[in-house]
Amino acid sequence: GAVLGMAHEIDGQAALLTRLLTRVKLLLTGGDAPLLAKHLQTPDAELLPDLCLDGLHCILSLSTTTQ
């Protein structure tokens, strides 16, 4: 119930934003992103479950190379 409810909410917000804006890109991030992606009706949703960790890795890489 909770996963389907969240998927429907995401689909609804994506549909609304698509009507209001010219270009909308849906990015799914976090540990539950793969689970939610299975239930979405929104086409072209991009799955990036490790986005936060990838960003932290970039920051760490930059800070270790500049010292």
Side-chain angles (χ1 to χ4, degrees), residues 3-56:
V3 173
L4 287 177
M6 183 59 68
H8 285 291
E9 186 173 336
I10 292 169
D11 283 332
Q13 289 295 319
L16 174 66
L17 289 171
T18 301
R19 284 193 303 269
L20 295 174
L21 303 170
T22 305
R23 294 178 51 195
V24 175
K25 182 165 186 140
L26 178 61
L27 302 176
L28 298 172
T29 66
D32 292 331
L35 178 64
L36 282 169
K38 294 177 190 175
H39 300 285
L40 289 177
Q41 302 298 314
T42 304
D44 303 327
E46 187 172 346
L47 184 60
L48 300 168
D50 298 325
L51 181 64
C52 186
L53 290 175
D54 292 342
L56 290 173

